[in-house]
C-alpha cells in the first residue's frame, strides 16, 4: 500500500476537539492537574494535525512522549485513559515492573505492542459489527425461526422428475428406395409433444394431441398435488409469521432450541513466533486444536435469548471482512495508539549498580528504548510499527528520580509534567464535581435497594478533611483514600439496606463522626483504613 493511500485510509475517529475543549472534557472527570491536562491535550491535537500533512512530512514528525511525575492517586492513569477515550484510540495500560530483561522469566517488552494491537483489532471489529448489526439481526431472526419451525424456511425447488414428452402414432408410411432391388421400407409416423402447461411455445400455438385418458389422469393428479403444496406452503407462511411476531414481542425468550455452535480454532500466524513464552504456549495450543479438531460443531440446548446472541455474533462475523478489520486496526494502532507505562520509576536504577532485585532493571529500560524510539514488532495480525505510537510514562519517583533512568530513555520522553498532591479542597471537589463523583455512585447504588441517601454539604466537607488528615499521618495515597473512607462510612448501611428498605437516610456531620471518629482517634489507623 502506498503512503498516500495509507494516509487517506486512516480515519480520525473523534471530532476534532481543540486543546481547550479537550481540557474541558477532562475536567468533567479529573479535578485539578492543569499542567498535565494541557500537555496531553496538545499531544492529542498534534496527532490530528500530523494526519493532515503530506505523507512525506508525516513520517518526519514523531510524537512527543510524556513523563508524568507525581504521587499515587492524583489522576495520572485516569488522565491517560480519558484521553484515549476522547480520541477513540487503541489504549493499553501496562506496568513497567512486570517486564523483564531478555533471558529472565517474565514478559518481554514487545508484548505491550501485541496487547495494543489486540485491543485495536477488537475495537475496529466491534465498530464494523455495529455497522452490519441490522442485517445480522435480520439473519439471526430467520435462523431462529428455522430452529423453532423446521422445514418452513426457504422454499425448495421441485424434486419431482420432469415430465417426459408424449408420443402418439399418426399413421404408417412406405419408402421404395432407389436401387433397392424392388424392396420397400415400411415405417410408422409419430408425433412428439410436451404436455400442456409445460410447452415452451406460446399457449395459442400449443398443438392439440389426441385424447389419452391416462395422460389426462396424470395431469389432473399433478395439478391437485401442486394445489395441495401451495396451500400447505401458505399455511406454513402464516405460522412462521405468527412465530415471528411472538419472537419480536419477547414471548419465546425462554423456549429451548438446539443450536450447533461452531468451534473453529484459528491457526496462529508466524508473527507470534518471536513472542514470549505465553504467546508460544497459545500458538502451540492453537496448532494442536486446529490439527486435532479442525472445524468442529457442538450442539447445545439454549434458550432463545442466548441463541439469538450467538447467532447475531456468527452472522456479524460472516458479514465483516476480517482482512479489512486487520488493516484498519493496524493503521489505527500505528497512527493513533496510546501506551501508558505506569510504575516506570520502579525500574530506575538507584545508586551503584549491583546484584539483587536491581539486576534486570536497567536491562528492561534498554529493551523498552527501541520500542519507544520506533521499531517493528511481529504480532499475529502482522508487523506493527511503533514510530508514531504515543507513549505516556508515569511514576511517583518518591524514592528514585527521573535522572536515574538511562539517558537514552530520558531523551525519548521530552515532555515532563509534575502533578500536584491533593488536599482537602481537592477532595471536596472530587466528591461532588465529576460526572462519576463518589457521592453520586453510592447514591445510585443504594437507590437500587430502595434506600435514598442525602449527603449534606457539611458532611462532605468532613469527609474531605478526614481524608486529608489520614493521608497526612499515613502513606499519602491521594484520591484512593476517599474510596476507603466512603466504604467505612457506608459499610453498615450497605449491609442492612435490603432489610430496612425503603428508607431515606440523611448523611450529616453527626453520622460521619459516629461512623468514623473512633477510627481517626485510633493510633493504628492502618488496621481500619488502607
Amino acid at each position: 500500500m502506498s503512503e498516500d493511500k495509507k494516509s487517506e485510509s486512516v480515519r480520525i475517529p473523534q471530532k476534532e476537539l481543540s486543546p481547550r475543549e479537550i481540557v474541558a472534557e477532562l475536567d468533567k472527570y479529573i479535578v485539578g492537574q492543569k499542567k498535565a491536562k494541557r500537555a496531553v491535550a496538545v499531544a492529542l491535537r498534534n496527532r490530528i494535525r500530523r494526519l493532515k500533512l503530506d505523507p512525506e512530512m508525516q513520517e518526519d514528525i514523531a510524537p512527543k512522549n510524556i513523563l508524568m511525575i507525581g504521587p499515587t492517586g492524583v489522576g495520572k492513569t485516569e488522565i491517560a485513559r480519558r484521553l484515549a477515550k476522547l480520541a477513540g484510540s487503541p489504549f493499553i495500560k501496562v506496568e513497567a515492573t512486570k517486564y523483564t530483561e531478555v533471558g529472565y522469566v517474565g514478559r518481554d517488552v514487545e508484548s505491550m505492542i501485541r496487547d495494543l494491537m489486540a485491543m485495536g483489532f477488537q475495537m475496529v471489529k466491534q465498530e464494523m459489527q455495529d455497522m452490519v448489526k441490522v442485517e445480522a439481526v435480520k439473519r439471526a431472526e430467520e435462523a431462529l425461526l428455522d430452529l423453532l419451525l423446521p422445514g418452513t424456511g426457504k422454499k425448495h425447488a421441485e424434486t419431482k422428475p420432469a415430465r417426459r414428452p408424449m408420443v402418439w402414432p399418426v399413421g404408417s408410411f412406405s419408402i421404395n428406395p432407389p436401387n433397392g432391388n424392388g424392396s420397400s421400407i415400411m415405417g410408422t409416423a409419430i408425433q412428439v409433444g410436451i404436455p400442456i402447461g409445460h410447452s415452451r411455445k406460446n399457449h395459442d400455438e400449443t398443438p392439440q394431441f389426441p385424447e389419452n385418458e391416462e395422460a389426462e389422469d396424470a395431469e389432473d393428479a399433478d395439478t391437485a398435488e401442486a394445489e395441495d403444496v401451495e396451500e400447505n406452503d401458505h399455511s406454513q407462511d402464516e405460522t412462521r409469521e405468527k412465530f415471528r411476531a411472538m419472537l419480536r414481542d419477547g414471548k419465546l425468550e425462554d423456549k429451548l432450541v438446539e443450536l450447533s455452535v461452531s468451534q473453529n480454532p484459528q491457526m496462529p500466524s508466524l508473527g507470534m513466533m518471536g513472542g514470549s513464552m505465553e504467546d508460544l504456549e497459545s500458538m502451540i495450543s492453537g496448532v494442536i486444536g486446529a490439527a486435532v479438531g479442525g472445524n468442529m460443531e457442538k450442539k447445545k440446548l439454549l434458550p432463545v435469548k442466548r441463541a439469538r446472541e450467538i447467532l447475531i455474533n456468527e452472522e456479524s462475523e460472516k458479514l465483516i471482512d476480517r482482512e479489512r478489520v486487520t488493516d484498519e486496526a493496524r493503521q489505527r494502532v500505528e497512527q493513533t495508539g496510546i501506551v501508558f507505562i505506569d510504575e516506570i520509576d520502579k525500574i530506575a536504577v538507584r545508586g551503584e549498580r549491583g546484584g539483587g532485585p536491581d539486576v534486570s532493571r536497567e536491562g528492561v529500560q534498554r529493551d523498552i528504548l527501541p520500542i519507544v524510539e520506533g521499531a517493528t514488532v511481529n504480532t499475529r495480525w502482522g508487523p506493527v510499527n511503533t514510530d508514531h505510537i504515543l507513549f505516556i510514562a508515569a511514576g511517583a519517583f518518591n524514592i528514585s528520580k527521573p535522572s536515574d533512568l538511562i539517558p537514552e530513555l530520558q531523551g525519548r520522553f521530552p515532555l515532563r509534567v509534575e502533578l500536584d498532591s491533593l488536599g482537602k479542597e481537592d477532595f471536596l471537589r472530587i466528591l461532588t464535581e465529576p460526572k462519576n463523583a463518589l457521592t453520586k455512585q453510592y447514591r445510585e447504588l443504594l437507590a437500587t435497594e430502595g434506600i435514598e441517601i442525602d449527603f449534606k454539604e457539611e458532611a462532605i466537607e468532613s469527609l474531605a478533611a478526614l481524608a486529608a488528615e489520614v493521608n497526612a499521618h499515613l502513606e499519602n495515597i491521594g484520591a484512593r483514600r476517599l474510596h476507603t473512607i466512603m466504604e467505612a462510612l457506608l459499610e453498615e448501611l450497605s449491609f442492612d439496606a435490603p432489610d430496612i428498605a425503603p428508607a431515606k437516610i440523611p448523611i450529616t456531620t453527626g453520622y460521619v463522626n459516629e461512623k468514623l471518629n473512633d477510627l481517626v482517634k485510633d493510633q493504628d489507623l492502618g488496621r481500619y483504613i488502607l
Side-chain angles (χ1 to χ4, degrees):
M1 181 182 290
S2 67
E3 289 296 332
D4 293 328
K5 292 182 180 178
K6 181 177 179 180
S7 176
E8 292 174 1
S9 64
V10 175
R11 193 166 54 86
I12 302 175
Q14 84 288 358
K15 64 178 182 179
E16 299 182 15
L17 298 174
S18 68
R20 194 178 304 279
E21 290 172 329
I22 295 171
V23 171
E25 288 295 319
L26 294 175
D27 284 340
K28 294 178 181 178
Y29 300 95
I30 303 147
V31 170
Q33 314 303 352
K34 293 294 184 184
K35 292 180 181 178
K37 290 176 183 175
R38 289 171 65 92
V40 297
V42 171
L44 181 59
R45 185 66 182 186
N46 280 338
R47 307 188 87 184
I48 298 174
R49 293 165 178 158
R50 173 184 164 273
L51 293 175
K52 297 180 179 180
L53 300 176
D54 295 332
E56 185 177 352
M57 181 65 72
Q58 285 186 23
E59 291 301 311
D60 295 332
I61 298 179
K64 304 303 184 288
N65 299 320
I66 302 170
L67 177 63
M68 294 185 182
I69 304 169
T72 184
V74 296
K76 301 187 294 294
T77 305
E78 190 66 14
I79 287 174
R81 182 178 289 114
R82 294 292 175 183
L83 182 74
K85 193 170 183 179
L86 271 178
S89 301
F91 170 81
I92 189 170
K93 174 185 178 293
V94 298
E95 285 78 32
T97 51
K98 72 178 180 181
Y99 299 108
T100 61
E101 185 181 359
V102 174
Y104 288 80
V105 177
R107 302 200 75 188
D108 65 286
V109 295
E110 289 186 351
S111 64
M112 71 173 70
I113 305 301
R114 288 192 285 272
D115 293 343
L116 182 66
M117 183 60 197
M119 185 68 66
F121 181 85
Q122 287 300 119
M123 177 184 294
V124 175
K125 178 182 173 183
Q126 185 62 50
E127 289 177 4
M128 291 192 176
Q129 284 182 337
D130 290 341
M131 293 171 62
V132 299
K133 188 171 183 179
V134 174
E135 178 64 22
V137 169
K138 184 190 300 183
R139 293 190 181 191
E141 183 181 80
E142 295 298 331
L144 274 176
L145 289 172
D146 291 341
L147 293 172
L148 291 165
L149 300 168
T152 64
K154 296 181 180 178
K155 305 295 184 297
H156 298 289
E158 293 288 342
T159 58
K160 294 187 298 182
R163 296 181 182 179
R164 296 180 179 178
M166 292 182 177
V167 180
W168 290 270
V170 294
S172 61
F173 63 88
S174 64
I175 300 176
N176 293 316
N179 302 324
N181 299 324
S183 60
S184 63
I185 300 174
M186 300 298 292
T188 301
I190 61 173
Q191 184 172 2
V192 180
I194 299 176
I196 296 174
H198 291 263
S199 175
R200 296 180 182 176
K201 297 180 181 180
N202 188 286
H203 290 295
D204 295 337
E205 301 174 356
T206 302
Q208 298 298 319
F209 302 136
E211 293 183 0
N212 187 316
E213 292 183 0
E214 292 183 1
E216 290 180 357
D217 291 343
E219 179 74 21
D220 293 340
D222 290 343
T223 302
E225 184 180 350
E227 291 175 354
D228 290 341
V229 170
E230 184 177 353
E231 184 178 350
N232 186 43
D233 286 346
H234 181 68
S235 175
Q236 288 182 351
D237 287 344
E238 287 185 348
T239 304
R240 190 176 178 88
E241 291 307 313
K242 288 179 181 178
F243 268 75
R244 189 191 305 277
M246 293 170 65
L247 198 61
R248 291 177 177 177
D249 292 340
K251 297 177 180 178
L252 302 176
E253 294 297 281
D254 296 327
K255 186 175 179 60
L256 294 179
V257 293
E258 188 176 51
L259 182 65
S260 295
V261 181
S262 60
Q263 296 175 327
N264 186 16
Q266 295 183 354
M267 181 72 71
S269 66
L270 294 177
M272 293 181 62
M273 291 299 293
S276 63
M277 183 61 67
E278 61 204 64
D279 295 327
L280 186 60
E281 290 175 356
S282 175
M283 184 196 69
I284 293 173
S285 63
V287 171
I288 293 174
V292 175
N295 189 3
M296 299 179 295
E297 287 192 353
K298 184 178 180 181
K299 291 189 175 181
K300 292 183 177 180
L301 275 176
L302 299 169
V304 167
K305 183 177 181 180
R306 175 59 181 151
R308 183 189 290 108
E309 295 174 1
I310 295 174
L311 288 169
I312 290 175
N313 287 335
E314 289 182 352
E315 294 299 333
S316 298
E317 286 278 356
K318 295 175 185 176
L319 289 169
I320 64 174
D321 183 356
R322 292 184 69 88
E323 290 186 3
R324 183 185 168 199
V325 173
T326 299
D327 292 341
E328 173 71 20
R330 187 187 305 116
Q331 291 176 28
R332 193 178 297 188
V333 165
E334 290 180 346
Q335 304 299 326
T336 68
I338 299 175
V339 177
F340 182 78
I341 307 176
D342 202 5
E343 309 291 352
I344 198 169
D345 58 316
K346 304 301 188 297
I347 62 170
V349 180
R350 303 181 299 277
E352 297 182 0
R353 293 170 173 80
D358 293 342
V359 66
S360 70
R361 290 181 178 177
E362 189 171 342
V364 175
Q365 294 183 57
R366 286 196 301 267
D367 288 347
I368 290 178
L369 181 61
I371 303 295
V372 178
E373 285 182 336
T376 300
V377 177
N378 289 324
T379 72
R380 61 180 300 181
W381 296 277
V384 174
N385 187 276
T386 67
D387 285 344
H388 300 288
I389 293 176
L390 176 64
F391 290 87
I392 302 176
F397 289 101
N398 50 357
I399 299 176
S400 60
K401 50 188 182 295
S403 59
D404 290 329
L405 298 170
I406 60 175
E408 296 86 351
L409 191 59
Q410 294 181 46
R412 297 308 300 178
F413 289 90
L415 299 182
R416 297 185 184 181
V417 290
E418 292 192 21
L419 285 82
D420 303 321
S421 297
L422 301 177
K424 175 186 173 182
E425 294 302 319
D426 298 308
F427 290 145
L428 184 59
R429 294 178 59 196
I430 291 172
L431 286 170
T432 56
E433 292 183 10
K435 276 189 173 182
N436 58 344
L438 281 178
T439 52
K440 298 176 184 177
Q441 292 180 25
Y442 280 96
R443 187 181 296 119
E444 295 300 324
L445 280 173
L446 289 172
T448 62
E449 300 275 8
I451 302 296
E452 182 183 350
I453 55 175
D454 180 21
F455 286 95
K456 302 300 182 182
E457 186 176 345
E458 64 275 9
I460 296 177
E461 290 183 2
S462 298
L463 289 171
L466 181 60
E469 181 181 349
V470 175
N471 272 348
H473 288 85
L474 297 177
E475 187 70 26
N476 187 354
I477 60 173
R480 293 190 178 94
R481 184 70 67 188
L482 292 174
H483 290 274
T484 57
I485 292 286
M486 291 292 289
E487 279 296 320
L489 175 69
L490 300 174
E491 180 182 11
E492 184 177 343
L493 182 58
S494 298
F495 186 85
D496 295 333
D499 302 322
I500 63 175
K504 183 174 181 179
I505 310 294
I507 307 298
T508 62
T509 304
Y511 188 94
V512 172
N513 292 335
E514 178 188 349
K515 300 298 181 183
L516 300 178
N517 211 30
D518 292 339
L519 303 183
V520 176
K521 289 181 180 179
D522 196 294
Q523 297 297 318
D524 188 8
L525 299 179
R527 289 189 299 169
Y528 303 97
I529 301 178
L530 180 65

